[in-house]
Amino acid sequence: MNQRKQLLLALAIILLGIVSTLALPGFGFLMASRVVLRGGTGVYVVTAYCIAVKLALSGRQAGAMSNVARAIPALKGEASIPLGE
């Protein structure tokens, strides 16, 4: 699969998980939507690592991967936990 399409599919899965978290009632649906979110995030992160390595200059791949690693908490929503979520 094309990596661009794979990223878009992962973002669509993440959006589906967010919408289901907000719209569906009950604790069971909340847990199911969290599983969907984690699946989409996992696909997105792995694809982002691969793209970062391909785009980086020779000898600069580790720096590109560290930039992706710094963005992961924003995808997972962990940045909002200290704000009282």
Side-chain angles (χ1 to χ4, degrees), residues 1-55:
M1 178 182 251
N2 184 2
Q3 287 181 336
R4 180 178 176 164
K5 290 180 183 178
Q6 192 173 359
L7 279 176
L8 290 174
L9 177 65
L11 285 174
I13 292 170
I14 291 170
L15 182 63
L16 175 70
I18 291 170
V19 169
S20 65
T21 299
L22 296 174
L24 298 175
F27 186 73
F29 288 118
L30 176 67
M31 290 297 108
S33 67
R34 296 297 291 174
V35 169
V36 171
L37 280 168
R38 294 300 178 188
T41 303
V43 171
Y44 187 86
V45 168
V46 169
T47 307
Y49 275 129
C50 292
I51 291 173
V53 168
K54 284 184 180 180
L55 292 177

